[in-house]
Amino acid sequence: ESGADLDDVTSFANLTPLQDVLKNYTAQAYKDIQLDRKSWENKHKVANLIVSPRVYVEAEAGSTYTPVANDVFNGDDTDASFTVISVAQLISGTWAAGTAKAYINYSDLSGQWKFNELFDQTSPGSTSNVFRVKGFGRYDFDNDVSGLFMPDLNSFSVQSTGGATAQTNTVDFDSTPLVFVPRNLWPYDDYATVTYGRPTYFTRSAEGHYDFWPRPDQQYVVRFYYESAIHELSATTDTQTEVPPDFQDVIVWLAVRYYADYDRKQELWRSANKRYNFYKTKMEEYL
């Protein structure tokens, strides 16, 4: 469609300069079409996540113990205690080397820990000086939701789980909206605002981690809508999956338009733009 006289490409090794240009424009066109997709119903998905009470810890130097479900930990200073549900995310390091930094999901919090307080495992065994509590836990939904690209921050809601002991154990359907607060306006990071309960507000940090207030006292279901991740083409064996077959010429014509702009072929650009807009309009009507 570009009018260029080129051999078919079977390998990306030893491409001619023009083959390489057209290959890159095809991949870019496919990516750009997906980015321009707010009305695509097939790209809108919903996430339902169980959010547990969570704490951020760092392993104490010299410790080799790995926390596991049902471990009970007690603080050396306050005697605050909690029971581990799971190590939700190992952020860096390893437990075996005493370098772990991790989020721990917990239940049955008794008392209130202090920042930098050292914790011992007290049940079912006994291991001293396992980790220090360094802060409140945050939630990495990019890690928890496969293919998450762009969450709709206006669609977040919270409800009781209706589940087990660690959960809220209610039969009521009590879904309520969560209100988003920009990070620069978030006032709930210090002990002056330590409140546990059903979350009402949430924020998102620069690295994409989420925080709630009140901080969850038990497990809750957080629900939100999101756009799924961009699918990219890079290898000769890659096949596009996001544009329905009847409309996939939209990729071709956008790539040709990019090439025509690059090679300053105005007539080809106008023709490619017309065909691109035709397929784009039809695709948006369908999707």
Side-chain angles (χ1 to χ4, degrees):
E1 301 296 354
S2 69
D5 185 12
L6 295 172
D7 294 332
D8 288 343
V9 173
T10 57
S11 169
F12 287 163
N14 302 315
L15 292 179
T16 67
L18 187 52
Q19 286 175 328
D20 193 49
V21 165
L22 291 173
K23 175 200 71 146
N24 292 337
Y25 280 145
T26 303
Q28 188 62 49
Y30 180 51
K31 181 177 179 180
D32 290 351
I33 287 165
Q34 293 176 77
L35 287 170
D36 185 26
R37 63 180 185 178
K38 289 187 178 179
S39 62
W40 292 23
E41 291 297 332
N42 66 319
K43 300 303 296 183
H44 293 181
K45 301 183 187 258
V46 62
N48 290 281
L49 302 173
I50 291 182
V51 171
S52 301
R54 181 173 289 189
V55 67
Y56 170 64
V57 305
E58 294 183 2
E60 181 72 352
S63 172
T64 59
Y65 184 78
T66 301
V68 296
N70 298 316
D71 277 355
V72 177
F73 283 89
N74 279 78
D76 285 357
D77 299 329
T78 64
D79 200 37
S81 67
F82 57 79
T83 301
V84 174
I85 296 176
S86 64
V87 176
Q89 184 179 351
L90 181 64
I91 300 170
S92 66
T94 65
W95 292 103
T99 58
K101 297 180 180 181
Y103 289 133
I104 288 180
N105 289 335
Y106 67 83
S107 64
D108 303 322
L109 176 64
S110 175
Q112 179 58 55
W113 44 263
K114 299 190 303 185
F115 288 122
N116 208 47
E117 185 172 0
L118 193 58
F119 272 71
D120 308 324
Q121 183 231 16
T122 58
S123 177
S126 178
T127 308
S128 299
N129 303 338
V130 177
F131 56 70
R132 291 183 184 271
V133 170
K134 292 290 187 173
F136 300 110
R138 294 179 177 171
Y139 303 83
D140 183 0
F141 292 158
D142 288 345
N143 181 70
D144 298 335
V145 180
S146 177
L148 173 62
F149 172 60
M150 187 178 297
D152 180 355
L153 298 177
N154 294 317
S155 70
F156 277 63
S157 63
V158 62
Q159 72 175 56
S160 303
T161 60
T165 304
Q167 302 176 8
T168 50
N169 205 27
T170 176
V171 296
D172 295 331
F173 181 76
D174 55 356
S175 179
T176 55
L178 283 165
V179 178
F180 176 71
V181 178
R183 186 66 198 171
N184 63 322
L185 300 177
W186 185 254
Y188 304 118
D189 281 337
D190 57 37
Y191 265 6
T193 55
V194 175
T195 302
Y196 296 95
R198 180 192 180 94
T200 303
Y201 303 102
F202 76 104
T203 192
R204 188 183 186 205
S205 67
E207 67 268 27
H209 292 186
Y210 294 79
D211 204 354
F212 296 94
W213 187 89
R215 302 186 184 282
D217 58 336
Q218 298 188 68
Q219 291 182 319
Y220 294 92
V221 175
V222 169
R223 175 184 173 93
F224 61 91
Y225 291 92
Y226 66 96
E227 291 185 20
S228 55
I230 298 293
H231 176 232
E232 298 193 40
L233 301 175
S234 59
T236 54
T237 54
D238 286 346
T239 301
Q240 77 87 10
T241 59
E242 301 303 302
V243 179
D246 288 344
F247 306 112
Q248 65 183 2
D249 278 1
V250 71
I251 304 169
V252 174
W253 288 111
L254 184 56
V256 172
R257 195 182 78 176
Y258 287 165
Y259 163 71
D261 188 51
Y262 158 80
D263 211 29
R264 303 190 179 190
K265 296 183 176 182
Q266 295 183 3
E267 186 175 344
L268 179 61
W269 189 97
R270 287 193 294 270
S271 175
N273 188 56
K274 181 178 179 181
R275 300 304 298 165
Y276 164 69
N277 285 326
F278 170 80
Y279 280 104
K280 181 174 182 287
T281 299
K282 292 298 182 183
M283 182 174 62
E284 289 175 345
E285 289 175 355
Y286 175 79
L287 297 178

